[in-house]
Amino acid sequence: MATGEVVYTREFGNQTRFDSVAVAPNGEFFAVAKKVHERESFVTLFRVVTGEQIQEWEFGTCNDPVTCLAISPESSLVAAGNRSGEFAIFASNQPDEPLIRKLARGSGTLANPGEIYSNRVNFVAFRQGGQQLVTRSLIIDQVNTRQYGEIATWDVTSGELRGSFPDELGNGWRTPAAISRDQKQMAVRTDEFIEIFDLESEESIVRLQDSAGTLDQWPGNSGIAFSQDGRQLAAAGDGFEVCDWD
């Protein structure tokens, strides 16, 4: 980090694509979303120091690949969401039985499958010390013939849905989102504005308009991030913008 020198590289051929990456808080490994052309989709763990592959879990397909990743604060759990609307939680330290649970918004008693279901999961993040998982999904409501974004909080241990609310924002399969460092606010951006939600009250706090015209019409090709103190947001698109919000 001090010199910017490349420590190592790994080549996987032109049939392999990496779509997302997350570094473990303990600094020992990082996770990548790996998609092999016309085959499967994987979550793969590598050691930070050597680049050695540690574990690999199949999740999704080449048509419904992994879209987002998160690692718990103690680095023991890895969460992944995919384009088919599923998300899974894996144990990074259990190579024999790594899958903790796999869920989707329309499964079990949460909704009636075929009427209301999740089509894409485009954001996952741990909060409450790794006890909860926050997801942002695109929901298909066939009853009322509409699509909308939904932010949901899940209990990691039981898999129970603790709460959910619609954000009514972009329908894109990669609407960028971010959670503040204190894990109290979540920002979601579209091609016109950024909206910040309070995760406890499940209400919108503020909507920030794109005053500089930097949020392009393809939000999936950009990103958003909170500052360390949570008082500023940085967003990138055709250009980039940093703004105070609180």
Side-chain angles (χ1 to χ4, degrees):
M1 292 293 289
T3 64
E5 180 183 357
V6 176
V7 179
Y8 58 80
T9 60
R10 289 197 59 174
E11 298 293 336
F12 291 87
N14 58 11
Q15 298 297 306
T16 301
R17 173 176 172 176
F18 297 96
D19 286 329
S20 184
V21 63
V23 180
N26 64 11
E28 294 182 2
F29 68 91
F30 62 94
V32 298
K34 187 174 77 172
K35 171 183 163 184
V36 181
H37 180 61
E38 296 184 351
R39 288 178 55 198
E40 301 90 2
S41 177
F42 302 91
V43 176
T44 309
L45 305 188
F46 297 94
R47 295 193 190 280
V48 168
V49 176
T50 64
E52 172 193 1
Q53 181 174 315
I54 307 171
Q55 293 195 55
E56 184 168 80
W57 312 306
E58 184 176 346
F59 182 53
T61 66
C62 63
N63 294 320
D64 297 308
V66 175
T67 55
C68 50
L69 295 168
I71 300 176
S72 63
E74 74 282 5
S75 303
S76 62
L77 300 175
V78 179
N82 67 23
R83 208 186 297 182
S84 68
E86 298 176 320
F87 67 90
I89 301 173
F90 300 92
S92 62
N93 54 4
Q94 296 178 197
D96 294 332
E97 297 182 6
L99 181 63
I100 302 298
R101 65 181 65 259
K102 182 167 66 173
L103 294 168
R105 178 64 176 87
S107 65
T109 60
L110 302 181
N112 185 356
E115 293 187 356
I116 301 175
Y117 62 94
S118 172
N119 188 29
R120 302 180 181 100
V121 178
N122 52 33
F123 179 81
V124 290
F126 287 96
R127 67 189 299 257
Q128 300 291 339
Q131 298 179 43
Q132 294 181 353
L133 187 74
V134 177
T135 62
R136 200 268 179 186
S137 306
L138 172 62
I139 302 299
I140 309 297
D141 183 346
Q142 294 184 337
V143 177
N144 299 301
T145 317
R146 69 185 186 112
Q147 300 180 11
Y148 58 93
E150 181 183 72
I151 297 171
T153 301
W154 307 77
D155 184 275
V156 169
T157 302
S158 66
E160 178 186 358
L161 178 65
R162 304 300 298 270
S164 64
F165 60 97
D167 62 29
E168 302 293 351
L169 298 180
N171 294 335
W173 69 278
R174 277 199 174 182
T175 303
I179 283 186
S180 61
R181 189 173 178 84
D182 63 8
Q183 302 175 345
K184 294 180 179 180
Q185 290 88 34
M186 180 171 174
V188 182
R189 61 146 292 192
T190 70
D191 57 354
E192 297 179 349
F193 57 84
I194 299 168
E195 189 142 7
I196 301 176
F197 299 89
D198 184 286
L199 290 175
E200 297 298 329
S201 67
E202 300 183 349
E203 295 180 351
S204 173
I205 301 173
V206 65
R207 177 173 289 188
L208 305 173
Q209 297 296 327
D210 181 21
S211 59
T214 59
L215 304 183
D216 60 18
Q217 63 178 330
W218 302 105
N221 296 330
S222 57
I224 183 174
F226 280 95
S227 62
Q228 288 288 90
D229 61 8
R231 302 182 64 180
Q232 292 183 318
L233 273 171
D238 287 339
F240 68 89
E241 184 173 289
V242 179
C243 57
D244 296 308
W245 72 269
D246 64 341

